[in-house]
Amino acid sequence: MIPIVEEISSVTKNGVKKTTAASLKRYRTVGSLPGLTQETLTLPKLSASFTPAYLEDLGNGKMLKSDPNYITIANVLQYDERGNAVVLGDGKKGVKSFLYNEKRKNIIAEITNAKLSEIVFSDFEDQNERAFEGDYVLDNAYDNNQLIGKKALFGYSGVPFKKTVDKGLGKYYRLTFHGNTVEYTGHYLHIKLMDGVQTININLATDPNLGVWKFYEKLIDVSALGNTFEIEITPSDDMILDDIAFYPAMANIKSYTYETPFGKKSELDSRGGITLYEYDDLGRLKFVKDQNKNILKHVEYRFNNDLPIEFNANFNEKLLSNVEGYMDVAPGKVNVGDAWSFQKKDNCFTELTHQWFVNGVLQSTWGAFTYHFSQAGVYTIKHIVTHPVYGTKTEEIIKEARLIPLQINMKTEGGHQLTWCDLINNRVTKTFTVDITSGHAHGSPTYQWSAGKAYQTATPFQILSGGGINDNYITIRYPYHYNVGCKVTSLGRQTTKTISISYSSQDCEELEQ
C-alpha cells in the first residue's frame, strides 16, 4: 500500500472549526526503493468544510479520496534507478530536470522548462544518459586544454557525434558550447538535424584565432521536424569542444563540475557565464572567480588566540496585561488574552544577533518582543543568538495558554429557611441570581436553571427553559424542601451552583422570640 501523509492545521472560533492549512503527500515505489515522494498538494485557502483524506473501499481494492480544494504544487515525474528525482513538475506546466553523472552521485546539469529526453548535454568529464554519442567521444576527451572541469573533447575534422532528441516545446532549439580552434581550414562546424523525412543542414562559422576559447550560441528552427529527431555535429577543422548543450530555446540550463573531495568546482549558465570555485588544503572555499580568473570573492580564515567569548540565549519573561486579573499559579501557564514580553538577558557583545520564534514562526530580530496569546494551545518560544565567529546558542520555553476557569456565585433574596409566615396561599416565589466571578472574558455564557424537591434528586420538580440569565425564579410550595441549581456553560467550560431552600415547621412567633 502506498503511504499517504496529510498535515492539517485548524482553529475553532465560536464553536466553528475552520481549516487554516493542509498539505498532502503521495508516495511511490521505484524498483526496490519504497517511500519516494510522488506529489505534494496544498490547500490554497481557508475552508470551513474541509474533508480529511481517507481510503474508500472499492471491494477489490481501495482508492484514496481527498478534499477537492487541494492543488498540486510539486510532483516528481521521473526517478532514476537510484531513487534520484530527475524530472520535477510544479503542478502546472513547468518542469525542472536534473542530469546526474555516470555514478548517479552528482547533479551535472539542471534544466528548467524541459525534460531530459528533450535535451543533449556533454561536459566530457564522464558519460551520462543525455551525452552525445560517437565512437571516439569519451576516448578523445582529454585534460590537456579544457576550459572548465578536467576534460574536454578533441573533435577531429570530419568525424561526427550525435544524439536522438524528443522535440520539446516551442519553435526553436538553442545550441551552445565553448570551442577552441586548433586547425583552421574549413571554417565551420556542420550541424545536421533529421527525423527520417526532413533534414536541416547548418554551417556554424568558427573563430579563425587559434588557441582561444570562445562561447558559441546558435538558434535553430525545428518546427519542420517530427516529434523525435537526431542532431549530428561534425567539425570541419580539428577543434577542442567543451560543455555542448542542445535544448529548447524556452528552457534554461545550468551545469556543474566537481572537485573531489571538496565540492563544486565550476558553474556554467545558459549564456556561457562561468563561475569557478577554488579551495584551500583543508577543503575550505578560498576563491570565487569568473571565467577570466578575476576574483569575485576571497575568503580568509583567521584564528583568534583569545579565549572564545561566553554568551547565551537566556531571556526574561514578564506579564504585561492580564485578562480579568486572573493569575494561574501553575508554572508555564498563561491566560488566553494575556500579553507577555520576552527580553534577552545581558550579553555585553555588540556582534550578537537575535531571532525570536513562536511555534517556528519568526516574530522579531530585536533583543526583545511582545506576544499576545490569542487562543488556547501550547506555544514554544525560542530565542536564537548568533555570533559571527563563535556560532549559535538557543534557549526555548513552553507556555500553555488556557481559558480562564469559569467560576460563579449564586444568591437569592431573603433567607434560605422558610416558615409559615413567608407563605401566601401555601406558596412563595423567590428570585435567584448568578454572577460570573471569573471567565466572563471568553465566550458568551448560557444558563440552565433547575429546581426540585430535595428528596427527588433524580427527577427535578421543574426545569426552567430559555437558558437566559433572567429565567431564574421558582414557586415553592409548602411544606417541601427544595434544591435550586444553575449550570453555566461557555466555550466548553461549565460550572454549577446550588442553593437549598428548607421549610421550618416552627411557628413564626417562636422564631421571633
Side-chain angles (χ1 to χ4, degrees), residues 270-507:
S270 295
R271 298 299 179 261
I274 297 173
T275 305
L276 304 172
Y277 301 87
E278 295 182 9
Y279 302 84
D280 64 16
D281 293 337
L282 297 178
R284 300 173 302 186
L285 179 65
K286 186 175 182 180
F287 292 109
V288 179
K289 300 180 180 180
D290 66 15
Q291 64 195 61
N292 297 317
K293 305 300 176 70
N294 297 314
I295 297 175
L296 304 176
K297 183 178 181 181
H298 180 200
V299 183
E300 292 185 356
Y301 301 89
R302 296 179 179 176
F303 295 94
N304 191 339
N305 294 325
D306 297 332
L307 293 174
I309 67 171
E310 294 293 335
F311 68 98
N312 57 59
N314 297 341
F315 57 92
N316 297 315
E317 55 183 292
K318 181 181 179 180
L319 176 64
L320 297 181
S321 62
N322 179 230
V323 177
E324 298 183 25
Y326 179 83
M327 291 294 295
D328 194 334
V329 296
K333 311 299 181 185
V334 298
N335 300 327
V336 172
D338 283 356
W340 286 70
S341 71
F342 301 91
Q343 184 172 12
K344 67 178 179 65
K345 290 187 176 180
D346 289 337
N347 280 309
C348 302
F349 308 105
T350 58
E351 304 95 336
L352 299 178
T353 59
H354 301 266
Q355 290 179 300
W356 297 90
F357 295 86
V358 176
N359 288 347
V361 178
L362 180 65
Q363 304 292 325
S364 174
T365 56
W366 294 91
F369 83 109
T370 298
Y371 191 77
H372 181 263
F373 294 89
S374 59
Q375 61 184 18
V378 176
Y379 295 78
T380 300
I381 293 88
K382 179 185 291 186
H383 183 210
I384 300 177
V385 181
T386 302
H387 188 278
V389 175
Y390 297 107
T392 296
K393 298 291 180 68
T394 301
E395 183 72 19
E396 66 179 44
I397 62 173
I398 305 295
K399 291 285 189 184
E400 181 183 3
R402 303 193 296 189
L403 296 172
I404 296 175
L406 193 61
Q407 298 177 353
I408 62 175
N409 183 42
M410 183 177 176
K411 58 187 177 181
T412 183
E413 83 283 7
H416 293 183
Q417 188 179 67
L418 301 179
T419 69
W420 182 262
C421 302
D422 299 308
L423 304 179
I424 299 175
N425 297 325
N426 291 336
R427 67 186 67 185
V428 63
T429 298
K430 290 181 70 65
T431 300
F432 298 82
T433 302
V434 163
D435 296 321
I436 297 179
T437 59
S438 77
H440 56 76
H442 307 306
S444 301
T446 59
Y447 303 82
Q448 183 179 10
W449 293 87
S450 62
K453 298 174 184 179
Y455 62 84
Q456 293 180 336
T457 56
T459 307
F461 155 77
Q462 182 181 6
I463 296 180
L464 304 171
S465 62
I469 194 170
N470 295 319
D471 298 331
N472 52 8
Y473 60 89
I474 68 166
T475 299
I476 297 175
R477 299 177 182 275
Y478 169 84
Y480 297 109
H481 300 285
Y482 287 83
N483 288 332
V484 180
C486 182
K487 180 169 67 175
V488 182
T489 303
S490 176
L491 291 181
R493 303 163 299 163
Q494 68 177 33
T495 186
T496 301
K497 286 287 185 180
T498 301
I499 290 179
S500 296
I501 302 298
S502 62
Y503 174 77
S504 174
S505 60
Q506 291 179 280
D507 188 78

Side-chain angles (χ1 to χ4, degrees), residues 72-77 87-97 111-115 118 169 250:
T72 299
I73 58 173
N75 56 348
V76 182
L77 303 178
V87 182
L88 303 181
D90 61 3
K92 299 176 183 178
K93 293 183 178 180
V95 296
K96 179 177 286 189
S97 302
I111 306 98
T112 304
N113 294 330
K115 298 178 181 179
E118 298 167 352
L169 296 175
M250 297 173 60

Side-chain angles (χ1 to χ4, degrees), residues 11 45 62 151 174 179 231 241 277 328 369 393 496:
V11 296
K45 59 183 179 180
K62 294 182 181 295
K151 294 182 179 181
R174 179 176 279 111
I231 176 172
L241 302 166
Y277 301 87
D328 194 334
F369 83 109
K393 298 291 180 68
T496 301

Side-chain angles (χ1 to χ4, degrees), residues 16-20 43 45-51 67 69:
V16 178
K17 184 176 181 181
K18 181 174 287 188
T19 300
T20 58
L43 194 65
K45 59 183 179 180
L46 299 178
S47 176
S49 58
F50 176 78
T51 303
D67 192 280
N69 293 312

Side-chain angles (χ1 to χ4, degrees), residues 61-245:
K62 294 182 181 295
M63 176 181 290
L64 175 70
K65 294 288 187 177
S66 59
D67 192 280
N69 293 312
Y70 267 129
I71 61 171
T72 299
I73 58 173
N75 56 348
V76 182
L77 303 178
Q78 181 182 345
Y79 282 97
D80 66 16
E81 66 273 11
R82 294 284 185 89
N84 296 314
V86 294
V87 182
L88 303 181
D90 61 3
K92 299 176 183 178
K93 293 183 178 180
V95 296
K96 179 177 286 189
S97 302
F98 301 94
L99 183 62
Y100 287 80
N101 63 355
E102 188 173 20
K103 295 181 180 180
R104 304 289 180 175
K105 182 180 180 181
N106 294 321
I107 295 174
I108 60 172
E110 179 180 321
I111 306 98
T112 304
N113 294 330
K115 298 178 181 179
L116 288 184
S117 62
E118 298 167 352
I119 68 104
V120 187
F121 176 76
S122 285
D123 61 3
F124 307 106
E125 303 300 313
D126 59 15
Q127 189 60 278
N128 70 74
E129 61 179 296
R130 297 306 304 161
F132 281 99
E133 298 170 352
D135 294 338
Y136 76 106
V137 169
L138 273 185
D139 293 337
N140 236 33
Y142 77 131
D143 55 5
N144 184 32
N145 192 22
Q146 72 282 357
L147 178 62
I148 57 176
K150 294 183 178 180
K151 294 182 179 181
L153 175 69
F154 192 97
Y156 286 123
S157 172
V159 181
F161 48 91
K162 55 190 176 181
K163 187 70 173 180
T164 300
V165 180
D166 292 336
K167 187 163 72 173
L169 296 175
K171 181 178 180 181
Y172 294 95
Y173 258 68
R174 179 176 279 111
L175 175 68
T176 62
F177 62 94
H178 282 90
N180 187 336
T181 304
V182 177
E183 175 188 46
Y184 196 73
T185 57
H187 320 305
Y188 63 86
L189 201 69
H190 182 67
I191 305 162
K192 181 163 68 173
L193 308 176
M194 44 197 163
D195 64 2
V197 178
Q198 300 289 335
T199 299
I200 299 173
N201 289 286
I202 298 170
N203 287 333
L204 176 61
T206 54
D207 193 332
N209 296 308
L210 303 182
V212 178
W213 281 102
K214 179 181 177 180
F215 177 70
Y216 292 86
E217 180 179 20
K218 179 66 177 178
L219 206 61
I220 302 173
D221 186 347
V222 297
S223 58
L225 298 174
N227 292 331
T228 300
F229 62 92
E230 183 179 79
I231 176 172
E232 181 183 270
I233 299 176
T234 307
S236 66
D237 311 309
D238 289 350
M239 187 175 190
I240 302 172
L241 302 166
D242 206 359
D243 297 294
I244 308 176

